[in-house]
Amino acid sequence: RAVNRTAFVASELYSLYQIDGWYISHEPTDMATANNYFLYTVPQLQSAYGLPVIISPAFCANVSAPSFPSLLTQAGADIYSPQDCVGAGTSLTSPTQYTYDPSVTIGQLPAYLTAWQSACETADKTMWTHVETWQMDGPTYGNAYEAAWPRIKQQLCIEKALAERVGVYPWNSRTDVLQGLLQEFEQVELWVEGKLVYFKKGVCCG
């Protein structure tokens, strides 16, 4: 059912919009299990439209395993954009453990993303990253809010050195976050009221 639903949604979107590629919204933590879905969905999208496919996994505990690159190959996506898991302070050495302390994740992030980089190189896949700009304070998972720029900058300093492209999703387009992004990148693309807007060194152009 999920595969058929994906095909239907893709067909509808392609008929309505100019599409440059496909982001599959399923964010797996277990690539082996997720491949039961990706093995059908990814090649279907690629063959039907000739466009690249991107998958953005959540925390994958086995990214350093020798077999992990083969899972990326099997899934078949063109681009993998692992989430950095900073928002809830996920411990990258203890699966599903949320510490609600961003510094824990940031301290573990270089090793985790380096493992991802190695896996993507072995599988001959492009690697981007997904910066979580939100924050949770616990004690349970919820009530997220947008983090301040100094924390986000720490993530970017790590990820820019390892990924070909970095994706950032500012929830409320805080002024300090936008200004900080413009200092780090030549161009920033944001969705503003349903429209993609390009901010370029102080110049806004839709």
Side-chain angles (χ1 to χ4, degrees), residues 131-145:
V131 178
E132 292 186 350
T133 64
W134 50 271
Q135 186 163 323
M136 292 180 182
D137 295 333
T140 58
Y141 193 93
N143 299 316
Y145 60 93

Side-chain angles (χ1 to χ4, degrees), residues 99-171:
T99 70
Y100 303 107
D101 181 354
S103 67
V104 170
T105 316
I106 290 171
Q108 299 168 344
L109 199 54
Y112 178 67
L113 292 181
T114 296
W116 258 105
Q117 184 187 53
S118 176
C120 286
E121 288 177 351
T122 300
D124 194 25
K125 301 295 183 180
T126 297
M127 175 182 155
W128 295 357
T129 59
H130 183 103
V131 178
E132 292 186 350
T133 64
W134 50 271
Q135 186 163 323
M136 292 180 182
D137 295 333
T140 58
Y141 193 93
N143 299 316
Y145 60 93
E146 189 167 30
W149 170 246
R151 196 213 80 184
I152 297 171
K153 185 176 181 179
Q154 291 182 66
Q155 297 162 250
L156 288 172
C157 287
I158 296 169
E159 298 177 43
K160 283 173 60 180
L162 294 169
E164 184 173 315
R165 188 168 184 174
V166 177
V168 183
Y169 183 72
W171 279 23

